[in-house]
Amino acid sequence: MSRKIIAILRGVKPGEVLEIAKTIADSGITKIEVPMNSPNVFDSIKLLHDELDDHIAVGAGTVTNTEQVKILQDIGIDFIVSPNFDPKVVEATKRANMLSYPGVITPTECFSALNCGADGLKFFPATLLGEANLIALKAVLPANIPIYMVGGVGPENFSSWISAGATGFGVGSGIYKAGDKPESVAQKAKLIVQSYDAAQ
């Protein structure tokens, strides 16, 4: 089962990223992103790509400019996630043959991102949108567009978001906080997977 959950490892360090990522992958979550505002971020992302690319989809988060996209292209990762919608970032990502998930909230941002070639939409922060507004947006968005909710989502509300039309989730502090040990991450990942599966 390929779960549409992206584990966001904000703050992870190169010396721990592989063990943390393996723990998450073992739980059944196979999409892992390291945000740009993490220590020595390109080292961590390259380690994930070089060591675990056969087992997980490797992504970068909080990508806000094309210079970052170029470096990530050279590493060879699978997807790029942004907190915002920047046409230049989406277009550069697609030229580099990576999946693009820009951050959006409004209908204008949604359609502009899709027109630029975005592969899916990241609603961030999800709590600002709310389930009722997602239901309204889904009525006008193209069918089958991957919709990831990020920010304030977790086991306690997976079900209500899926009912509203969400197709996936990005989970940050709910699965990893800077300094977390693998044992702690394993416990949180297990709960996330159980709740996600139950909500399907």
Side-chain angles (χ1 to χ4, degrees), residues 59-146:
T62 320
V63 177
T64 56
N65 61 66
T66 55
E67 289 77 14
Q68 293 168 339
V69 174
K70 181 64 174 72
I71 297 170
L72 295 163
Q73 176 185 5
D74 292 342
I75 293 173
I77 65 169
D78 301 296
F79 65 93
I80 282 180
V81 183
S82 297
N84 63 318
F85 164 57
D86 183 330
K88 292 179 181 177
V89 170
V90 174
E91 290 163 358
T93 300
K94 295 314 299 171
R95 283 196 301 271
N97 294 314
M98 295 181 283
L99 297 173
S100 171
Y101 299 100
V104 297
I105 284 287
T106 68
T108 297
E109 290 175 329
C110 292
F111 282 97
S112 296
L114 294 173
N115 288 338
C116 277
D119 296 280
L121 302 173
K122 166 193 170 179
F123 283 95
F124 174 79
T127 49
L128 182 62
L129 183 71
E131 288 96 325
N133 287 328
L134 178 60
I135 292 170
L137 271 173
K138 282 283 290 185
V140 297
L141 288 174
N144 303 317
I145 293 294

Side-chain angles (χ1 to χ4, degrees), residues 115-193:
N115 288 338
C116 277
D119 296 280
L121 302 173
K122 166 193 170 179
F123 283 95
F124 174 79
T127 49
L128 182 62
L129 183 71
E131 288 96 325
N133 287 328
L134 178 60
I135 292 170
L137 271 173
K138 282 283 290 185
V140 297
L141 288 174
N144 303 317
I145 293 294
I147 291 176
Y148 281 82
M149 312 311 296
V150 183
V153 297
E156 69 282 355
N157 57 21
F158 283 156
S159 182
S160 64
W161 278 115
I162 290 171
S163 296
T167 54
F169 303 93
V171 183
S173 58
I175 198 167
Y176 174 81
K177 291 181 182 176
D180 275 357
K181 301 301 181 191
E183 297 78 17
S184 169
V185 174
Q187 290 178 343
K188 291 190 280 189
K190 181 180 179 181
L191 175 61
I192 286 166
V193 166

Side-chain angles (χ1 to χ4, degrees), residues 19-75:
E19 189 173 6
I20 295 292
K22 287 175 184 174
T23 297
I24 291 170
D26 287 344
S27 78
I29 297 171
T30 56
K31 297 177 179 64
I32 298 178
E33 142 194 348
V34 182
M36 286 292 103
N37 51 357
S38 301
N40 302 304
V41 62
F42 295 115
D43 293 340
S44 289
I45 291 173
K46 191 171 190 313
L47 278 168
L48 288 181
H49 175 266
D50 291 350
E51 300 295 330
L52 296 178
D53 194 47
D54 290 340
H55 306 285
I56 64 172
V58 179
T62 320
V63 177
T64 56
N65 61 66
T66 55
E67 289 77 14
Q68 293 168 339
V69 174
K70 181 64 174 72
I71 297 170
L72 295 163
Q73 176 185 5
D74 292 342
I75 293 173

